[in-house]
Amino acid sequence: MTEAADNSIVVGVDGSEASLAALRWAAEQARSMHADVIAVHAWEPAGARFASYAPVPVRPTAAEQRAEAARMLAAAVREVLGPRSGRSIRVVVVEGPPARVLPARASGALLLALGRSAYAQRELPALGTVGRACVRCATVPVVMVPVAPDPAAPSAAAPEAGRQAPGRPARAPRPVCAG
């Protein structure tokens, strides 16, 4: 089940802003390390979310769900890296829970990059269930990449300004390596 080459960075992509930030960071890091990027999207069948009596047209088939997952991943890669990525990037769509798929796919890679939600940027990273599982189970370093704060949002900047020491410039959020 492992697919990562020795000189690659695996990044989990689910289409969220946090995962796009992780993909952006992984592409920059891979460029500086002369490594490849493997963008992985793990999906689980939605069949269990529908009632057994739901009409068949409402329930997407596994093939339709896989195709939608592949479209989402391709769109995310295009959005972040543009039509040409420069370095080698592979996209991998895998059926299964992300907490199991991502550490398995990262085995043998240089590292695993995951996005960190905006709500967790104030203090130490607050990890979700997938992040915790990856930190616990991955055999490679796991980098948690924060979403860049929105400069237009006053609530994002105001609390940070009150906690800075006088005369010290604000620091940009940096990835936190947990592993």
Side-chain angles (χ1 to χ4, degrees), residues 8 10 14 20 30 34 47 52-53 64 83 85-86 92 95 114-115 132 135 148 153-154 157 159 168 179:
S8 64
V10 175
D14 64 3
L20 297 181
H34 304 290
S52 59
Y53 53 82
E64 290 170 335
S85 65
V92 179
E95 181 178 349
L114 301 173
R132 279 194 304 273
V135 167
R168 298 190 81 177

Side-chain angles (χ1 to χ4, degrees), residues 15-35:
S16 67
E17 194 58 40
S19 72
L20 297 181
L23 180 58
R24 199 171 293 112
W25 181 87
E28 291 172 16
Q29 190 67 25
R31 200 173 8 263
S32 70
M33 298 173 71
H34 304 290

